Amino acid sequence: MTLVALDWIIVIASLLICFVPALFFGKRAGKSTSEFFASGRSVPWWLAGLSMVATTFSSDTPNWVTQQVRQYGVAGNWQWWAFVLTGVSTVFFFARLWRRSGVMTDLEFYELRYSGKAASVVRGFRAVYLGLFFNCFIMGMVTLAACKIANILFAMPPWQTILVMGLLNVAFAAHSGLWGVLVIDMVQFVIKMSAVIAAAYFSLVAVARHTGVGDSALAGLDKLVSTLGSQQVTFQPGSQPVLSPIDGRGQPILDIMPNFAMSDLALMIFIMPIAIGWWANWYPGAEPGGGSYIAQRMLASKSEKDSLGGTLFFNLAHYVLRPWPWIITALCSIIIFPELKDIQAAFPAADPRLIGHDSAFPAMLKFLPVGFVGLMVGGLIAANSSTILTHLNWGSSYLVHDFYRRFINANAGEKHYVTMGRVCTVMLYIVAALLTLSRFSFPLALAPACSICCAGTGGGSTRRAKWWRWPARSRCPWCFSP
């Protein structure tokens, strides 16, 4: 993909609009850890909600949704739609409680809720595990997605993408703290949504032209529905999904609900997530009762009402409004690039090792016209930054406030802890970059351990707020028995 002068102007304008306002928050963020990690607890509901939505829209999100749609149909999204139950419970049962607690991080709540050595051990362990290992694992996945997109669109090697995005994200995260992250998120959300809506529109136009039915998005939509409405996808582990006419033995591509006649598929994409996954697991942005950077926004809200309003807005936008442009683009990619070899043929300069079904989303961006290419590039940079910025600030808050300040140096001044927060910000990205460059040979080996440590802790996150007898040892599967 080639960017002309107009595209570059739009990219630069997008970056300036996103990042320049954050420069003015550096002095305020440097005053104290409360300002650096919690924005002085003065964030209005709409800014908290927009930041939550922007943070959970990362550069890998459209790619992942595209992969699920191409492999399992629209119903494949139930692997994450099931977490709406967690989100609703957070809104109505926990949002006010988080703000009322007055803690700076959700991990600090352990020693407020529990007592003794068990509470301290759980807080310290999870600060290092989540703030460093799990956090860098997530940032590595997000960065790898950015590398794939840049490789497909511009044939950029991974190290160049990592370097450019690292310099941009680390500089602003270290300088402006959470205030800068929130302001950047707000602007980036508008840019990102404009870009993906444009991608969905021009993908439908591309379908119309590709199938010879016209050159309008409406004609493309009609062709999309008529073509895929009679198709099903059959997927076997270890093999490529196969498209075929609907015969009841596959998953209809356009059906929102899974085909329960396919018991294995229904169990994987619907039954397990809706019955167990939403409460039994822990994952940033979808954990029962709130936590991680979602709790960070609730704790930074200026009132309990703002905490509830921001979380409600996040759940509506996250589950109801935002995913459909990605889904439409993914469906269009099935018609234009039905197999992985079609993507490779369209982008011969791309690294074959990086080509997968998730590559179909950036592949569809080749149909964007001049001007919109620049908007999409700006949107992809925004998508990456909104997530990385949050993870850098959130992870450093755990490492500094819940580990370094709590267990190593408890008597230093506020400016010292802010400085340590900035040092941790740089360190976290370096670790995430190394994981990305390793092609995840190490992180993939670590993935089972990540799953084990987070399995079963979701129930504890919910019960600890409502059942006073729920013990601290239930929060750490590696160190304690439930």
Side-chain angles (χ1 to χ4, degrees):
M1 183 177 290
T2 302
L3 274 70
V4 300
L6 177 60
D7 293 316
W8 282 114
I9 292 173
I10 293 175
V11 171
I12 295 172
S14 299
L15 294 178
L16 291 176
I17 293 172
C18 284
F19 290 96
V20 168
L23 294 174
F24 298 98
F25 290 95
K27 184 176 181 181
R28 181 170 182 176
K31 291 180 179 179
S32 66
T33 52
S34 177
E35 290 288 348
F36 193 81
F37 295 128
S39 297
R41 305 185 191 279
S42 56
V43 179
W45 70 269
W46 54 269
L47 183 56
L50 283 173
S51 180
M52 293 178 196
V53 181
T55 293
T56 52
F57 181 172
S58 63
S59 54
D60 66 326
T61 314
N63 294 24
W64 187 86
V65 169
T66 298
Q67 177 173 311
Q68 304 314 304
V69 172
R70 287 174 63 90
Q71 290 183 330
Y72 310 119
V74 176
N77 286 282
W78 278 104
Q79 294 179 75
W80 67 280
W81 279 342
F83 283 90
V84 70
L85 300 175
T86 297
V88 171
S89 68
T90 300
V91 173
F92 295 105
F93 295 104
F94 301 103
R96 292 182 180 271
L97 296 179
W98 275 120
R99 182 61 183 86
R100 192 178 304 166
S101 70
V103 297
M104 187 179 299
T105 67
D106 58 313
L107 297 188
E108 184 182 355
F109 180 70
Y110 287 130
E111 292 194 297
L112 180 66
R113 170 64 175 82
Y114 307 115
S115 62
K117 182 179 179 180
S120 299
V121 170
V122 171
R123 180 182 179 183
F125 171 81
R126 290 179 73 84
V128 175
Y129 172 75
L130 297 177
L132 178 60
F133 295 106
F134 196 84
N135 188 30
C136 289
F137 180 78
I138 295 173
M139 286 195 291
M141 290 191 295
V142 172
T143 305
L144 182 62
C147 292
K148 286 189 174 186
I149 292 172
N151 185 255
I152 286 286
L153 297 184
F154 309 112
M156 287 177 61
W159 70 266
Q160 290 184 3
T161 304
I162 292 171
L163 180 61
V164 171
M165 297 308 301
L167 292 174
L168 184 67
N169 293 327
V170 171
F172 280 91
H175 173 75
S176 56
L178 185 60
W179 266 122
V181 173
L182 294 174
V183 172
I184 292 172
D185 280 350
M186 175 184 66
V187 181
Q188 287 177 336
F189 175 72
V190 177
I191 295 175
K192 291 186 293 186
M193 288 307 300
S194 300
V196 296
I197 290 172
Y201 176 84
F202 288 108
S203 293
L204 290 171
V205 173
V207 167
R209 293 172 177 171
H210 181 77
T211 56
V213 297
D215 57 0
S216 69
L218 185 59
L221 181 61
D222 289 340
K223 185 63 176 179
L224 179 74
V225 173
S226 62
T227 300
L228 298 185
S230 59
Q231 297 288 309
Q232 67 182 15
V233 61
T234 303
F235 179 82
Q236 297 294 332
S239 64
Q240 295 295 327
V242 178
L243 294 179
S244 61
I246 292 178
D247 61 6
R249 294 177 294 179
Q251 172 63 45
I253 295 175
L254 298 185
D255 280 11
I256 294 180
M257 298 300 294
N259 178 11
F260 288 94
M262 298 182 65
S263 57
D264 292 344
L265 180 64
L267 180 67
M268 178 178 66
I269 69 174
F270 183 80
I271 297 175
M272 291 296 290
I274 205 75
I276 298 175
W278 68 274
W279 62 265
N281 297 323
W282 182 95
Y283 191 82
E287 58 276 18
S292 66
Y293 46 72
I294 299 300
Q296 185 185 41
R297 270 57 173 179
M298 291 187 279
L299 294 169
S301 299
K302 63 182 180 180
S303 68
E304 293 180 20
K305 184 177 180 180
D306 285 277
S307 176
L308 186 148
T311 312
L312 177 61
F313 174 82
F314 159 65
N315 280 278
L316 289 174
H318 181 65
Y319 293 104
V320 180
L321 301 177
R322 193 183 63 189
W324 291 104
W326 309 333
I327 293 173
I328 291 173
T329 304
L331 293 171
C332 292
S333 76
I334 297 175
I335 295 178
I336 297 178
F337 302 112
E339 298 183 21
L340 296 183
K341 64 181 180 181
D342 300 314
I343 301 177
Q344 183 66 65
F347 299 89
D351 188 342
R353 295 172 298 175
L354 298 179
I355 297 293
H357 285 288
D358 57 341
S359 304
F361 181 82
M364 292 300 296
L365 303 184
K366 69 175 292 185
F367 301 108
L368 291 171
V370 171
F372 286 96
V373 174
L375 178 64
M376 177 55 71
V377 172
L380 291 173
I381 294 174
N384 178 269
S385 294
S386 62
T387 300
I388 297 297
L389 286 169
T390 288
H391 277 269
L392 291 174
N393 185 269
W394 164 62
S396 62
S397 73
Y398 278 10
L399 295 177
V400 173
H401 184 69
D402 296 297
F403 186 77
Y404 178 78
R405 187 174 194 171
R406 174 63 181 82
F407 299 103
I408 298 178
N409 187 353
N411 299 313
E414 285 293 309
K415 291 187 179 297
H416 172 77
Y417 294 123
V418 171
T419 300
M420 290 302 299
R422 288 169 170 159
V423 171
C424 286
T425 297
V426 177
M427 178 198 70
L428 286 171
Y429 191 83
I430 291 175
V431 175
L434 292 175
L435 293 180
T436 304
L437 287 173
S438 71
R439 292 291 195 276
F440 281 91
S441 57
F442 170 69
L444 284 179
L446 191 65
C450 295
S451 301
I452 291 172
C453 188
C454 294
T457 61
S461 297
T462 304
R463 296 183 185 96
R464 67 184 178 186
K466 300 297 181 181
W467 185 21
W468 69 273
R469 292 181 61 88
W470 193 254
R473 64 178 182 272
S474 65
R475 308 299 305 128
C476 184
W478 279 8
C479 300
F480 302 93
S481 59

